[in-house]
Amino acid sequence: MWKGIDVSDNQGVIDWEQVATAKVSFAILRSVRWSGKTDYQFAVNLEGCRKYGIPVSVYKYTYATTPEAARQEAQQVVELLRSDDVTSTMVWWDVEDKDVLRPLGAAKLTECIRAAREVITAAGYGFGLYVGLYVYKERWFDFNAFAGTRLWIARYYRGYRTMRFDDEPDQKFKPDVDGDISGWQYTSCGEIPGIKGDVDLDIAYEDPMLWSQPAVEPGVIYTVSVADVWTKELAEIARQQFAARGIVGVVHKVKILG
């Protein structure tokens, strides 16, 4: 497991040297505010993480109620990342607003998230979902439509009692979902050197460095076969011909439609 933080301009000016000394394994930075403007501390937070070698991903708290609005929000994130020369990272799509998003209903919200994912992945970034456990349990949207998408889930099992960064969260309170999760935000009342006041603390269940890798091609899989033939006899002939040339398979790129 890897322990990290997620931050925004709500944390003010952060001393990233102290944060790095506390052995933070990753940081998730807020990217764009509701207004469409960049988080006021994004540039200096990104610079601090780069300086001290802290792996970075970003999040966007969405208010989009239509696919068009979701695409616009996602494009704002893409433009910010490109402007700061962030060529590959994970964008966590933060779906938790009870007043704006829950009234949409599952079908409409699912379409909004799909639209955002389309923009993010087409730009070459990874796409993940951040939700409170209540969002998952109440099925605000169709989670099956995002099978294979990384999940980062919040569950605060100690209420609003302060937890220090070096405290170990009790794994028996890990969010209970169908399948694995990539991350658990276990408190919003964390305490860590270098940050004044409360900060969200997180656990990653996979190496956060993987979140900085280039995104896979959306809607594309690869298969390997010897040849595409109609009969068993032709298949055997093709196998022998390929084997004589030292070829054990042919790679096919398959576009998934629909």
Side-chain angles (χ1 to χ4, degrees):
M1 295 184 298
W2 294 259
K3 294 175 72 175
I5 58 177
D6 62 274
V7 298
S8 70
D9 51 38
N10 291 323
Q11 276 68 51
V13 177
I14 295 173
D15 185 332
W16 285 101
E17 182 177 11
Q18 289 191 51
V19 170
T21 301
K23 302 188 184 305
V24 162
S25 297
F26 63 93
I28 306 174
L29 312 180
R30 182 167 70 170
S31 56
V32 177
R33 299 169 60 89
W34 188 356
S35 63
K37 295 181 179 179
T38 302
D39 181 274
Y40 300 140
Q41 292 295 317
F42 179 80
V44 293
N45 285 342
L46 179 62
E47 180 183 1
C49 289
R50 284 171 164 170
K51 181 176 181 179
Y52 295 103
I54 301 172
V56 169
S57 57
V58 304
Y59 74 92
K60 166 59 184 173
Y61 189 109
T62 180
Y63 296 92
T65 58
T66 66
E68 293 75 17
R71 291 188 189 96
Q72 182 178 19
E73 286 185 346
Q75 190 59 42
Q76 289 169 349
V77 176
V78 168
E79 290 173 0
L80 171 63
L81 295 176
R82 286 174 171 170
S83 69
D84 282 290
D85 198 30
V86 181
T87 56
S88 60
T89 193
M90 175 69 64
V91 176
W92 297 98
W93 205 247
D94 185 344
V95 182
E96 61 174 309
D97 195 281
K98 294 181 179 180
D99 295 328
V100 174
L101 300 183
R102 184 161 57 180
L104 290 179
K108 289 183 178 179
L109 184 52
T110 299
E111 287 308 305
C112 290
I113 299 170
R114 278 192 176 122
R117 179 180 62 178
E118 178 183 310
V119 173
I120 297 296
T121 57
Y125 298 103
F127 182 85
L129 285 167
Y130 167 90
V131 299
L133 184 59
Y134 61 91
V135 175
Y136 182 87
K137 295 296 186 182
E138 295 172 11
R139 295 291 172 168
W140 282 21
F141 57 90
D142 181 6
F143 281 82
N144 292 329
F146 304 97
T149 298
R150 286 183 170 97
L151 273 178
W152 167 30
I153 295 185
R155 183 191 185 190
Y156 307 147
Y157 71 95
R158 291 188 62 182
Y160 294 99
R161 287 182 288 171
T162 299
M163 294 184 70
R164 296 179 303 173
F165 183 73
D166 55 2
D167 291 337
E168 292 299 325
D170 192 333
Q171 290 298 311
K172 74 180 181 182
F173 294 105
K174 176 183 175 181
D176 181 19
V177 301
D178 297 327
D180 297 327
I181 62 174
S182 294
W184 172 23
Q185 186 187 91
Y186 58 90
T187 184
S188 61
C189 297
E191 181 181 275
I192 187 171
I195 297 179
K196 297 178 181 179
D198 292 337
V199 63
D200 296 337
L201 302 182
D202 305 271
I203 282 180
Y205 292 98
E206 58 183 353
D207 189 344
M209 288 297 293
L210 296 175
W211 301 345
S212 299
Q213 300 303 311
V216 298
E217 297 172 81
V220 172
I221 62 172
Y222 289 86
T223 64
V224 178
S225 63
V226 172
D228 296 320
V229 294
W230 289 102
T231 67
K232 181 178 180 179
E233 291 76 14
L234 288 175
E236 179 59 25
I237 293 171
R239 185 194 67 78
Q240 294 175 7
Q241 291 174 338
F242 279 109
R245 293 169 173 79
I247 301 172
V248 296
V250 177
V251 176
H252 296 271
K253 182 177 179 179
V254 182
K255 183 69 178 180
I256 303 171
L257 303 177

